[in-house]
Amino acid sequence: MTESVPTVLVPGLFCSPRLYAEQLPVLWQFGPVTVADHRHDADLGAIVDRLLATAPRQFGLIGLSMGGYVALEVMRRAPERVLKLGLLSTSARPDTPEQTAKRRQQMTQAQSGQFAEVVDAAWPMLVAPAREHDAPLRDVVHAMARDTGAEAFVRQQTAIIGRPDSRPDLPAIRCPALVLAGRDDQVIPPAMAEEMAAAIPGASLVLVPHCGHLSTLEQADDVNAALMSFWSTSYR
C-alpha cells in the first residue's frame, strides 16, 4: 500500500452509484471514496463545478462513459487537483451528428413517459453479446435508470451533446492515467481507448476480454485487478 488517495467516482449516463458497487471495497483500501452526483445540471461545466465544490483538495478520479467526459472536463479545469485518473469505457471525441440525433430521439421518448423503453432499447448495446440474456445484470441497469429518472436523463444527454473534443487536451495530462475498455464494447469501441492511451503521456491501457460497455459490472474482477494494480503505484 502507498499514499492515501481519496477517490471520486463519476457514473455513466443514467447510471447511479450501483455502477461501482464492486469497486468500492477495492478503492476504499486506499482512502475515502465518494460518488459524484451528475443528475442536476445540463452542462458539463456545471457538473464539474458541483463535483469540485465537494471533492477533496486532491483526489483520484474515475469516470465511466459519460463519467469519463466529466473527468476530462475536470482535467481541463483543475488538473492540479487530480492525483490519478481512470478513464473507463469512454472516449475523448465529441458527438457525431448521428449520435446527437439519436440522443435527441431518446430525450423525446423519455419526456413522453417512455424512459423504460429507452433503457430497454439500449440494453443490447450496453453489454457484451454473451450477457444480453443476463437478467440480474439487466435488472441492475433498470434500477440505475430508476435511480436517475427521466428528467435527469434529459439533462445528462444535453450535457453530453454539448461536450467538446477532448483529444487536443490529452497530451497535457500529467498525472498517472489508466485507460480501460471492454473488448466487446458496442457503444464506444476499444479503438477509442487505444487512441486516448496513445495521446496521454505514460498512460496504461487495459482491454478487458468478454466485456462490453458496462465494464465495472460485467467483469468486475478484471476491472478491480486493474484498479488495484494502478492505485497501488505511487502517484508521483
Side-chain angles (χ1 to χ4, degrees):
M1 201 68 65
T2 59
E3 304 96 328
S4 176
V5 182
T7 301
V8 176
L9 303 171
V10 192
L13 174 67
F14 75 71
C15 291
S16 72
R18 299 174 196 257
L19 181 70
Y20 294 112
E22 295 297 324
Q23 286 68 54
L24 293 177
V26 171
L27 296 169
W28 175 78
Q29 299 178 57
F30 299 94
V33 182
T34 57
V35 181
D37 189 346
H38 60 347
R39 298 172 297 170
H40 303 290
D41 305 290
D43 174 78
L44 212 58
I47 293 172
V48 168
D49 287 343
R50 190 183 297 270
L51 183 157
L52 291 173
T54 58
R57 184 178 64 85
Q58 289 188 302
F59 52 93
L61 179 62
I62 297 173
L64 185 148
S65 194
M66 178 191 177
Y69 310 151
V70 174
L72 290 171
E73 184 68 19
V74 171
M75 297 308 299
R76 273 188 290 274
R77 290 169 177 255
E80 73 284 354
R81 294 183 62 179
V82 181
L83 301 174
K84 291 175 179 283
L85 176 64
L87 298 170
L88 314 183
S89 307
T90 193
S91 168
R93 297 191 174 207
D95 245 21
T96 65
E98 294 78 15
Q99 289 171 324
T100 295
K102 179 64 174 178
R103 293 188 198 283
R104 294 198 185 283
Q105 178 186 3
Q106 292 174 328
M107 292 160 68
T108 298
Q109 284 185 269
Q111 289 171 318
S112 65
Q114 301 179 66
F115 185 36
E117 287 79 1
V118 170
V119 179
D120 277 332
W123 162 253
M125 294 292 292
L126 292 176
V127 295
R131 302 295 292 274
E132 185 176 346
H133 302 291
D134 186 328
L137 180 56
R138 183 170 181 160
D139 289 346
V140 171
V141 171
H142 274 277
M144 291 195 297
R146 290 192 298 271
D147 293 340
T148 302
E151 292 183 4
F153 170 76
V154 171
R155 288 191 288 271
Q156 290 174 343
Q157 288 283 42
T158 302
I160 290 172
I161 290 170
R163 77 188 189 278
D165 186 346
S166 293
R167 287 174 292 178
D169 303 311
L170 297 178
I173 294 176
R174 292 291 178 262
C175 69
L178 169 68
V179 181
L180 181 146
R183 288 190 179 274
D184 299 326
D185 193 334
Q186 303 174 81
V187 177
I188 300 177
M192 300 297 97
E194 294 171 335
E195 177 180 68
M196 288 191 298
I200 299 172
S204 300
L205 174 66
V206 175
L207 299 180
V208 181
H210 314 297
C211 183
H213 191 59
L214 299 177
S215 52
T216 55
L217 294 172
E218 292 182 67
Q219 297 294 347
D221 288 346
D222 286 349
V223 173
N224 288 352
L227 291 175
M228 175 68 81
S229 175
F230 186 70
W231 248 241
S232 294
T233 60
S234 174
Y235 56 78
R236 294 297 183 203

